[in-house]
Amino acid sequence: MMIGSLMEHYFPYASQMGSDFLQATQETVLMTVSAMIIAGIIGLAIGILLLITGSHGLSPQAAVYWLLDQIVNIGRSIPFIILLAIIMPFTRLIVGTSIGTTAVTVPIVVGTIPFFARQVQNALLEVDPGVVEAAQAMGLSNAAIVFRVYLKEGLVSLVRSVNFTIINLIGLTAMAGAVGGGGLGATALQEGYQRGRTDVTFMAMILILVFVFITQVIGNAILKIVAHGRA
């Protein structure tokens, strides 16, 4: 009862939007999870390709590396709010619309892939070169070295990169609210900022921070489990 009274006093509008915040939270979770799965798979593949085609990689390919490197650099350099706008034709081609939770997932994936690919490359570059050389001396194929050495030895760094990328991705979902996407960002902008309801904006921010905090806690727990398993 007391909590309800405090909510009505300090969050007069937000306290009446329980179902809206629940739906917005579900949309944020949906966008984050689906985008991370798709961007994670593609980003991991590109990161591995950057690793093995680099000048000190398992199979140096200067032209392939240069092309991928430029794509990643350009992709990371484009401000996300601009990417949201210029990618709309591609978004409509893929999902048939440029508005809504499903639609904004497309630019979120496109914006996350180069970021995560570089994270993967940097994580795998931390693997001890001596271990890789030992695997090569044993006659392992490049594919075997990638899966049995790089991904195994670099697992702790990869988990850390995934956690960092998810937190960054949550920020992108909030920004996607500016172009008609759903989620807590859209609630903060459309129901809070544009209508002058500061308490709604503040409540959306609190929920986003809670989401980030939970992600960080889960990520740290997984990191400890992985690190403990390798000790």
Side-chain angles (χ1 to χ4, degrees), residues 5 12 21 34 56 79 93 100-101 111 124 139 146 151-152 173 194:
S5 299
F21 275 111
S34 58
H56 299 290
L93 178 67
T101 303
L124 298 183
V146 168
L151 295 182
K152 183 178 179 181
T173 66
Q194 293 178 0

Side-chain angles (χ1 to χ4, degrees), residues 206-227:
I206 291 174
L207 291 174
I208 291 172
L209 290 177
V210 170
F211 195 15
V212 170
F213 177 77
I214 292 174
T215 301
Q216 186 70 61
V217 169
I218 294 174
N220 289 343
I222 295 175
L223 197 59
K224 285 183 180 179
I225 293 173
V226 173

Side-chain angles (χ1 to χ4, degrees), residues 63-162:
V64 176
Y65 179 83
W66 181 86
L67 179 61
L68 291 174
D69 191 53
Q70 296 307 309
I71 291 174
V72 169
N73 285 339
I74 293 172
R76 294 180 64 199
S77 301
I78 300 175
F80 184 66
I81 195 69
I82 296 177
L83 178 66
L84 281 168
I86 63 176
I87 206 175
M88 279 187 179
F90 177 71
T91 301
R92 280 194 290 268
L93 178 67
I94 297 296
V95 298
T97 179
S98 60
I99 299 175
T101 303
T102 303
V104 297
T105 301
V106 176
I108 292 174
V109 168
V110 173
T112 302
I113 287 174
F115 179 84
F116 185 58
R118 188 65 80 196
Q119 293 287 321
V120 170
Q121 181 192 17
N122 291 335
L124 298 183
L125 283 172
E126 293 179 6
V127 174
D128 185 357
V131 179
V132 179
E133 291 174 2
Q136 289 176 314
M138 292 171 61
L140 268 64
S141 65
N142 288 344
I145 293 175
V146 168
F147 287 101
R148 295 169 59 182
V149 178
Y150 274 115
L151 295 182
K152 183 178 179 181
E153 296 296 324
L155 186 57
V156 172
S157 296
L158 283 174
V159 172
R160 191 179 295 115
S161 298
V162 169

Side-chain angles (χ1 to χ4, degrees), residues 20 50 143-144 203-204:
D20 295 310
L50 283 168
M203 178 59 71

